[in-house]
Amino acid sequence: MESHERAAAVGDGVLDFSRLGLNTLSVDSITDRRKRDTKQLYLNYNRLGSLPSSVTLFFNLEFLDISNNGLSFICEDIMRLTKLKTLIAKNNRLDEFSLPKEFGSLQLEVLNFSGNRFEEIPLQCTKLLRLQSLSLGGNRLKSIPAEIENLTSLEMLYLGGNLISAIPPEVANLPYLTYLVLCDNRIQSVPPQLTRLHSLRSLSLHNNLLTYLPREILSLVHLQELSLRGNPLVVRFVKEMTYDPPSLLELAGRTVKSRNLLYSPFDLPANLVRYLDLASKCPNPKCAGELCLMITFECLIMGCNGCAAFWLNTNQMNKTWFWLSTQERVLIHQAPVFLL
């Protein structure tokens, strides 16, 4: 009881009962006014096997953290928390059978079930129409249900560290999705439909089984972060690269481009002019040629009859997409210093 009283003296609207070794939650010493005014409740790092029914006495609760307990199920009493917006239940023993049937009728905006034992995403979660952030990382998920498309308010989807082998095209029907994290899974391909994610800013696909990316992914013009390390397509490309010093031709080309030197076909050797002309023919509309000669390797996308690459413009510090023909790929291979 005394430990409960000490924990309650946190601040207006906040009660912190974390790290007290609690098996249950007694609120007898908490005034009715305090229960009414509490909007945030922390019960993380205790020994709770289920959600205490006494939690529902905080009927204005908006934030609840029950992480790092021994929770194996969440009782139906949680449905009485009609104002709850954020539920954090990381690192417990929850699975797809642990939720009440009407869980999807809650008005949740943030839900974090990472570090549990889910083998499937519960269909109740796909009915949370106001959900903006869903985290189920570090579980045992093998697939993403097509019903994920129902979460039309979703901005962040974190499913890293599972056993997922495919991305359903229905993910592309999430108009506000900004962060998509699918790293550390078993994904072998990316559906071209993902190009409909016009709000996407960050796509994490590292440590999967990707051998190529679809050409259509180049249309994700607002993408700011793309992580592909630890996939066969990147590993293979790096292994194929040679690490010879740059040729005199390459050094001369870099000098001309980096210093913006003006020249005519009569001022330079013919082979250097051809080399510079090749770079200036980059199909990227934002590239005047200097990007093709001054680039930093980020990842490789294998495409039809050639290659595509996602490069980082070291001058403007913004990411630029452009396609590389087989001939241009050879050109890039001649400048390994800029690739690593």
Side-chain angles (χ1 to χ4, degrees):
M1 183 71 67
E2 293 180 357
S3 62
H4 286 194
E5 292 174 355
R6 289 197 302 270
V10 173
D12 293 339
V14 181
L15 287 178
D16 188 352
F17 291 104
S18 62
R19 302 178 186 275
L20 295 177
L22 301 178
N23 294 311
T24 186
L25 177 64
S26 174
V27 296
D28 295 339
S29 62
I30 300 176
T31 65
D32 291 340
R33 179 180 178 181
R34 184 111 184 148
K35 294 173 185 174
R36 182 187 68 240
D37 294 342
T38 298
K39 294 185 177 181
Q40 297 184 32
L41 179 60
Y42 293 86
L43 292 171
N44 47 314
Y45 290 98
N46 281 294
R47 300 173 183 174
L48 301 173
S50 62
L51 182 67
S53 58
S54 55
V55 168
T56 61
L57 298 175
F58 303 96
F59 49 86
N60 287 320
L61 204 62
E62 298 178 1
F63 176 99
L64 174 60
D65 188 346
I66 50 176
S67 302
N68 298 91
N69 279 280
L71 293 177
S72 57
F73 71 96
I74 296 177
C75 61
E76 293 188 2
D77 290 337
I78 196 173
M79 305 308 303
R80 296 166 61 184
L81 298 176
T82 58
K83 297 184 180 180
L84 190 65
K85 295 181 180 180
T86 300
L87 176 60
I88 312 296
K90 301 182 295 182
N91 303 326
N92 282 290
R93 300 174 182 175
L94 301 173
D95 58 29
E96 55 270 27
F97 306 107
S98 300
L99 307 181
K101 292 182 179 180
E102 302 301 320
F103 185 81
S105 64
L106 288 172
Q107 303 301 304
L108 290 177
E109 297 177 0
V110 177
L111 177 60
N112 192 329
F113 279 150
S114 293
N116 279 281
R117 300 178 179 180
F118 290 94
E119 296 185 5
E120 300 177 359
I121 297 179
L123 292 182
Q124 297 99 309
C125 294
T126 65
K127 297 178 181 180
L128 297 166
L129 301 185
R130 294 191 179 185
L131 200 62
Q132 299 175 15
S133 176
L134 175 61
S135 299
L136 278 157
N139 278 277
R140 304 168 183 175
L141 302 177
K142 297 179 181 179
S143 62
I144 304 173
E147 290 81 0
I148 197 74
E149 67 180 355
N150 297 335
L151 302 177
T152 54
S153 298
L154 202 63
E155 298 178 9
M156 197 275 281
L157 179 59
Y158 190 105
L159 299 176
N162 282 285
L163 305 173
I164 299 169
S165 59
I167 306 173
E170 287 80 7
V171 171
N173 297 330
L174 302 174
Y176 301 107
L177 192 64
T178 305
Y179 300 95
L180 178 57
V181 181
L182 295 168
C183 58
D184 299 289
N185 277 284
R186 299 177 180 178
I187 298 170
Q188 301 181 39
S189 63
V190 176
Q193 290 87 346
L194 289 193
T195 57
R196 300 204 301 265
L197 294 173
H198 301 300
S199 299
L200 196 63
R201 298 291 185 273
S202 178
L203 177 58
S204 296
L205 292 168
H206 53 269
N207 298 330
N208 275 285
L209 301 175
L210 296 172
T211 57
Y212 72 98
L213 289 181
R215 182 185 299 263
E216 290 83 356
I217 204 168
L218 297 175
S219 65
L220 291 173
V221 294
H222 297 296
L223 195 66
Q224 297 176 358
E225 297 178 356
L226 174 63
S227 178
L228 289 170
R229 67 181 185 275
N231 280 282
L233 84 164
V234 175
V235 174
R236 183 178 64 248
F237 180 74
V238 172
K239 286 182 178 180
E240 289 177 354
M241 288 171 55
T242 59
Y243 298 94
D244 298 326
S247 65
L248 291 177
L249 178 64
E250 171 61 21
L251 292 174
R254 295 181 193 180
T255 302
V256 172
K257 290 298 182 180
S258 62
R259 299 186 181 183
N260 295 317
L261 298 180
L262 299 177
Y263 66 91
S264 72
F266 304 101
D267 297 327
L268 301 175
N271 62 334
L272 179 55
V273 173
R274 288 194 299 269
Y275 185 70
L276 294 170
D277 287 345
L278 178 62
S280 64
K281 292 178 182 177
C282 173
N284 175 12
K286 297 182 179 180
C287 176
E290 64 271 13
L291 299 187
C292 295
L293 291 176
M294 300 187 66
I295 53 180
T296 299
F297 176 73
E298 192 74 15
C299 66
L300 179 68
I301 305 170
M302 300 305 296
C304 256
N305 299 322
C307 309
F310 182 35
W311 306 103
L312 177 64
N313 178 354
T314 56
N315 294 325
Q316 301 177 4
M317 294 307 293
N318 55 14
K319 293 184 177 180
T320 306
W321 291 95
F322 65 92
W323 285 93
L324 296 176
S325 66
T326 303
Q327 185 179 11
E328 288 167 336
R329 185 183 180 191
V330 172
L331 169 62
I332 295 303
H333 278 200
Q334 293 175 354
V337 171
F338 285 105
L339 294 175
L340 296 175

